[in-house]
Amino acid sequence: MVDHAKKRMHDPTTLPALTHIETCIDQVQHWIIYGGWTPSEPIHTQHYEPSNGKLRDIDYVPYWPDGVMHWVLIEAIYDVVVPKMDPYCIAGIKGRGPHSAAKQVARWMKTDRAGMKYGAELDIHHCFPESDHDFIEYGYRQLIKDKYWLRMADAVVDSFPNGLPIGYVTSHWFQNLAMTAFDRYVRGLDGVEHYYRYVDNVHLYGPNKRKLHRALEAAMEWLAAADYACNTCWQVYRTDYIDADGKHRGRALDGLGFVIYCDHTIYRKRTTRRLIRLCLNIKARPHGVPTPHQARQAACRIGQLKHANMHRFRVKYVDGVVSYRKIRKVVQNA
């Protein structure tokens, strides 16, 4: 309760729960063993993401009791189900973020050129809002048999009328557990040498374009049987390579926040422009001292540069424009 309350101190139910933590622990244990817990009505809000221009519907619950119960569900199964998941089921799992995945994909591009000759991409349309409750509940029942956990998980899933809510900490876990069978199915298809799934984005790689087309069609048929719709932006393409003249041909892998070539990795163009604009705005401030919000943004974006081959870019557009020591000082004092 203490560990997961650090980012929820603004919630009006957090401080009273921590003040009477022993009573809350006894209540949670009673709910787990004997039942009787009823999930609260979600609080609805909307969040605009300037990075992709999307307005998302967000639903969340108060820290006590729902937030605590959600984390109890996750902590109880973490060490058990993570080894059973696909090793390249990305996002929401410690150590499996986009940076580690991009590093692995770049390693595949350098060490297995035959297996990465062709790439295929597939995007599930409205993955969370259109998830079928029966499919989700059947999916995690294949991995978890504990009756106490299943009772609480069913209560959380059934508390939302349609699909899984974006904003619940349990949603991506339920989705990943249900999609474990899909990951195993796609990885075993003929012609698929490498595979990873980033939430609702499915990526397949193989040496034969015709087999990869068939694998992509089989994956879409599996998703259709589970009542998922796929966006029409699916594609199969030749990945990046260097020809005899030393020029880059094919297409680089655009995903996970990076553009991955066969011999190097860079930022996406819009991410690069955003970082340049941020540095110029910081430079225009008095004495080049950023606001706390700008400092946090800059520290995050500059830190991500270590995952890309962009040394000259950093020297010219970052180190030559802003002082990282001032940024770090503002972050520490904020």
Side-chain angles (χ1 to χ4, degrees):
M1 289 180 63
V2 174
D3 291 341
H4 301 303
K6 294 177 181 178
K7 295 184 179 180
R8 299 292 302 272
M9 293 307 297
H10 63 280
D11 192 303
T13 65
T14 303
L15 192 57
L18 295 179
T19 305
H20 306 88
I21 191 168
E22 295 297 335
T23 305
C24 293
I25 291 173
D26 294 338
Q27 182 65 65
V28 169
Q29 291 175 342
H30 178 82
W31 281 332
I32 292 173
I33 298 173
Y34 301 105
W37 170 60
T38 302
S40 305
E41 287 291 329
I43 303 170
H44 181 76
T45 185
Q46 289 185 322
H47 175 70
Y48 176 74
E49 295 184 358
S51 59
N52 51 27
K54 292 182 180 180
L55 183 64
R56 297 192 182 276
D57 293 320
I58 306 296
D59 295 274
Y60 65 96
V61 290
Y63 171 80
W64 173 259
D66 297 80
V68 175
M69 297 299 289
H70 289 185
W71 276 109
V72 166
L73 284 170
I74 295 172
E75 296 290 348
I77 64 170
Y78 187 92
D79 295 332
V80 178
V81 301
V82 169
K84 299 179 181 180
M85 292 181 178
D86 188 88
Y88 296 105
C89 168
I90 310 302
I93 304 174
K94 186 177 181 180
R96 296 190 189 180
H99 295 150
S100 61
K103 185 178 180 180
Q104 182 59 47
V105 173
R107 187 181 296 113
W108 291 341
M109 289 286 286
K110 293 178 181 179
T111 60
D112 187 12
R113 290 300 306 140
M116 295 289 291
K117 186 175 183 180
Y118 293 100
E121 297 179 6
L122 174 66
D123 184 38
I124 303 174
H125 181 69
H126 291 172
C127 181
F128 286 99
E130 297 187 3
S131 296
D132 182 67
H133 285 186
D134 293 336
F135 171 73
I136 297 297
E137 292 174 359
Y138 175 80
Y140 59 62
R141 272 176 166 77
Q142 302 308 302
L143 301 174
I144 303 166
K145 307 299 181 181
D146 183 80
K147 63 178 181 179
Y148 304 107
W149 191 94
L150 293 175
R151 180 173 58 195
M152 292 193 300
D154 291 343
V156 174
V157 173
D158 295 334
S159 67
F160 203 75
N162 299 310
L164 295 174
I166 301 176
Y168 280 24
V169 71
T170 55
S171 292
H172 68 272
W173 279 96
F174 292 154
Q175 187 68 45
N176 284 336
L177 292 175
M179 295 292 285
T180 300
F182 173 76
D183 296 335
R184 293 174 180 173
Y185 173 75
V186 174
R187 186 172 288 280
L189 291 173
D190 183 32
V192 178
E193 293 292 329
H194 300 286
Y195 163 81
Y196 78 88
R197 179 176 57 83
Y198 185 44
V199 190
D200 57 351
N201 297 314
V202 181
H203 296 257
L204 302 81
Y205 303 99
N208 188 292
K209 190 175 183 179
R210 186 172 298 176
K211 290 183 178 180
L212 212 55
H213 267 288
R214 288 199 291 263
L216 201 62
E217 292 175 1
M220 287 191 286
E221 291 175 0
W222 195 101
L223 292 171
D227 291 334
Y228 285 108
C230 299
N231 290 330
T232 57
C233 60
W234 64 269
Q235 50 194 319
V236 179
Y237 54 90
R238 178 71 164 91
T239 58
D240 179 70
Y241 67 98
I242 300 176
D243 62 9
D245 298 329
K247 296 182 179 180
H248 283 272
R249 302 292 184 184
R251 205 177 79 187
L253 310 182
D254 188 0
L256 301 168
F258 299 94
V259 180
I260 303 173
Y261 292 85
C262 63
D263 58 348
H264 67 283
T265 302
I266 62 174
Y267 260 179
R268 282 177 169 175
K269 185 180 292 185
R270 64 185 181 188
T271 308
T272 306
R273 290 175 176 173
R274 199 174 294 120
L275 177 57
I276 294 175
R277 191 181 304 117
L278 176 63
C279 292
L280 292 176
N281 290 337
I282 293 175
K283 182 181 179 181
R285 287 187 53 80
H287 308 290
V289 179
T291 64
H293 180 67
Q294 289 178 331
R296 287 191 291 268
Q297 281 188 318
C300 177
R301 298 189 185 281
I302 295 173
Q304 289 178 341
L305 286 174
K306 67 181 180 181
H307 300 282
N309 307 111
M310 302 180 66
H311 175 71
R312 287 187 294 179
F313 169 84
R314 173 165 183 165
V315 170
K316 182 176 180 180
Y317 295 103
V318 179
D319 295 342
V321 178
V322 297
S323 170
Y324 190 73
R325 187 167 66 177
K326 294 180 181 178
I327 293 173
R328 186 172 58 185
K329 186 175 181 180
V330 172
V331 171
Q332 292 174 347
N333 297 330

